[in-house]
């Protein structure tokens, strides 16, 4: 009788055991070809090695007794695929809570070293960046460009009403003009499509110009641009941003633009498209950004920043992502921004000095 009870108890516990994929990271992943590896993880092995060098020492201080390479693979799988912690745990043969802890630790570690990965160019790097921008479109290149700025809306969830003290009005702040809850990523990229500054976490209803003014980089460019920009240089933005000497924006199309002003807008747009290409690569590579099913908005900001860091690591080792669509700028409701006189004079000077495109 005792043996029967013991057997039944064993069978009950056996049913409770979850079926997991055994030795996926240890045996199957090493056998992947380079093409298979990138199709699954969206990064190649070179990028993984660089990532391990950045966050490996930090992860080694944690209490999780899983080798660093496997932890990094779990984190990359989370970023590259729209899977839950339970699905990831089943694939990598770890507990559900362990998969959550690993992802959280990697997010914290990567955000802690973000300042080493997302770097504003200086010295020779700044010179190389300027030269590449000047050669970008040949004779039709927009002169003295240092970077391109724009905002990108990342789909997310409303803050959970049962677990937040935010009133309903504040919850609706996350709705953009399409009534979709989003988090805004403000990014600036260089000529190599690498992010040189990111500012993530603002609600989707917030206007790009307000986010720009509240960001630390925006404050510097508005008040004292020459501390971070070489003389006569500027970044490029769309019509949502305020015109200053450090930030060039297109002429507002009121239906009466001159041929030179249209040429200026075309040249600016053809260069500024780099930020749209960078956003396209970012979101298509890291599918987690297509829709972040996360209620905590501070975590959303960490995920977005981590994705930008991973993007920079990939671009730095030549791990490009070709299968993408540029993310176009949101149609912006133009505010009555104060156009600083110095910015207007500089824009008019550039407009008159640009070579006219014969097709305009």
């Amino acid at each position: 009788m005792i043996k029967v009870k013991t057997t039944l108890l064993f069978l009950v516990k056996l049913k409770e055991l979850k079926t997991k994929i055994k030795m996926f990271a240890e045996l199957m992943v090493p056998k992947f070809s380079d093409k298979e590896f990138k199709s699954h993880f969206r990064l190649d092995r070179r990028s993984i090695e660089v990532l391990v060098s950045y966050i490996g020492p930090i992860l080694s201080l944690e209490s999780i007794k899983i080798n660093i390479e496997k932890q990094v693979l779990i984190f990359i799988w989370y970023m590259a695929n729209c899977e839950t912690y339970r699905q990831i745990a089943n694939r990598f043969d770890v507990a559900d809570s362990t998969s959550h802890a690993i992802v959280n630790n990697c997010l914290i570690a990567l955000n802690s070293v973000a300042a080493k990965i997302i770097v504003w160019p200086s010295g020779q790097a700044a010179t190389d960046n300027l030269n590449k921008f000047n050669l970008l479109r040949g004779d039709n290149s927009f002169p003295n460009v240092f970077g391109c700025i724009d905002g990108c809306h990342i789909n997310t969830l409303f803050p959970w009403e049962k677990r937040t003290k935010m009133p309903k009005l504040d919850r609706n702040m996350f709705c953009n003009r399409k009534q979709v809850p989003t988090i805004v990523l403000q990014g600036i990229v260089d000529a190599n499509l690498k992010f040189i500054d990111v500012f993530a976490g603002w609600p989707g209803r917030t206007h790009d110009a307000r986010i720009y003014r509240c960001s630390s980089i925006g404050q510097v460019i508005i008040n004292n641009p020459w501390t971070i920009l070489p003389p006569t240089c500027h970044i490029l933005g769309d019509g949502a941003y305020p015109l200053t000497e450090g930030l060039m924006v297109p002429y507002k199309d009121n239906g009466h633009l001159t041929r030179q002003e249209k040429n200026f807008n075309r040249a600016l747009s053809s260069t500024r498209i780099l930020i749209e290409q960078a956003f396209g690569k970012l979101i298509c590579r890291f599918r987690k950004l297509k829709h972040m099913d996360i209620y905590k908005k501070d975590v959303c900001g960490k995920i977005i920043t981590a994705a930008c860091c991973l993007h920079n690591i990939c671009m730095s080792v030549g791990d490009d992502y070709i299968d993408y669509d540029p993310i176009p700028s949101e149609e912006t409701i133009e505010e009555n921004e104060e156009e600083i006189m110095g910015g207007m004079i500089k824009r008019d000077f550039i407009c008159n000095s640009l070579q006219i495109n014969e097709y305009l």
Side-chain angles (χ1 to χ4, degrees), residues 79 93 95 111 120 124 144 169 173 219 247 264 267 275 290:
M79 296 293 292
D93 193 18
N111 275 262
W120 192 267
Q124 187 59 42
N144 300 330
L169 179 63
M173 287 178 60
Q219 289 290 322
L247 174 57
F264 175 93
I275 182 64
K290 288 183 179 291

Side-chain angles (χ1 to χ4, degrees), residues 4 110 187 229 252 261 267 279:
V4 173
L110 194 50
L229 292 174
K252 294 179 181 178
E261 290 171 343
F279 284 149

Side-chain angles (χ1 to χ4, degrees), residues 24-36:
F24 174 73
E26 293 82 358
L27 295 180
M28 296 180 65
V29 172
K31 294 180 181 179
F32 285 167
S33 66
D34 291 341
K35 185 176 181 180
E36 288 176 324

Side-chain angles (χ1 to χ4, degrees), residues 68-356:
I68 302 300
E69 289 74 15
K70 184 174 180 178
Q71 292 188 51
V72 170
L73 289 178
I74 290 173
F75 171 63
I76 295 300
W77 193 275
Y78 173 82
M79 296 293 292
N81 300 282
C82 298
E83 289 192 3
T84 63
Y85 291 117
R86 175 179 54 79
Q87 292 171 314
I88 295 172
N90 288 342
R91 180 175 297 277
F92 287 90
D93 193 18
V94 297
D96 295 0
S97 59
T98 302
S99 69
H100 178 273
I102 288 173
V103 170
N104 188 58
N105 290 342
C106 289
L107 279 176
I108 294 173
L110 194 50
N111 275 262
S112 68
V113 298
K116 299 179 181 179
I117 303 172
I118 302 173
V119 182
W120 192 267
S122 60
Q124 187 59 42
T127 303
D128 294 341
N129 182 43
L130 280 172
N131 292 337
K132 188 162 185 178
F133 266 119
N134 288 332
L135 298 174
L136 189 64
R137 301 288 183 255
D139 294 337
N140 296 319
S141 296
F142 200 96
N144 300 330
V145 178
F146 197 79
C148 305
I149 186 172
D150 201 2
C152 179
H153 287 256
I154 309 295
N155 291 351
T156 183
L157 300 175
F158 283 111
W160 197 353
E161 197 167 7
K162 294 182 179 179
R163 294 191 178 181
T164 181
K165 296 180 181 179
M166 296 174 64
K168 186 175 182 180
L169 179 63
D170 290 339
R171 292 179 72 247
N172 290 336
M173 287 178 60
F174 288 91
C175 278
N176 60 15
R177 62 183 187 82
K178 298 178 181 178
Q179 300 305 308
V180 176
T182 58
I183 293 289
V184 180
L185 162 63
Q186 175 186 278
I188 304 177
V189 297
D190 63 10
N192 297 310
L193 298 182
K194 292 174 63 177
F195 289 100
I196 57 178
D197 185 82
V198 295
F199 187 56
W202 276 67
R205 190 177 289 273
T206 314
H207 194 275
D208 285 352
R210 173 169 171 75
I211 297 174
Y212 172 71
R213 286 195 298 265
C214 292
S215 65
S216 57
I217 196 71
Q219 289 290 322
V220 174
I221 294 175
I222 291 172
N223 298 317
N224 196 6
W226 313 128
T227 58
I228 60 172
L229 292 174
T232 73
C233 291
H234 39 259
I235 62 175
L236 303 182
D238 60 18
Y241 293 97
L243 173 65
T244 63
E245 288 189 68
L247 174 57
M248 290 288 104
V249 301
Y251 288 96
K252 294 179 181 178
D253 190 357
N254 53 11
H256 300 88
L257 292 181
T258 65
R259 189 183 181 195
Q260 286 180 318
E261 290 171 343
K262 290 180 180 179
N263 182 64
F264 175 93
N265 286 358
R266 181 206 59 79
L268 186 148
S269 178
S270 66
T271 301
R272 197 190 64 82
I273 197 174
L274 264 64
I275 182 64
E276 299 177 6
Q277 293 173 347
F279 284 149
K281 290 176 182 288
L282 179 74
I283 294 178
C284 289
R285 187 194 291 263
F286 303 109
R287 297 189 185 101
K288 191 66 180 178
L289 300 184
K290 288 183 179 291
H291 181 76
M292 292 191 296
D293 51 345
I294 298 169
Y295 291 107
K296 294 183 178 180
K297 301 312 167 195
D298 58 331
V299 177
C300 292
K302 291 178 182 178
I303 292 174
I304 295 171
T305 303
C308 293
C309 291
L310 293 174
H311 169 88
N312 276 13
I313 290 174
C314 293
M315 300 304 291
S316 65
V317 298
D319 179 13
D320 201 356
Y321 192 77
I322 301 175
D323 186 16
Y324 75 98
D325 294 318
I327 304 297
S329 300
E330 291 281 328
E331 293 181 12
T332 54
I333 302 173
E334 294 183 348
E335 296 181 338
N336 293 323
E337 295 293 343
E338 179 183 356
E339 295 186 335
I340 297 179
M341 185 59 65
M344 297 176 66
I345 295 173
K346 183 178 182 180
R347 181 171 66 176
D348 290 340
F349 176 80
I350 296 174
C351 177
N352 294 326
S353 63
L354 283 175
Q355 180 178 339
I356 297 290

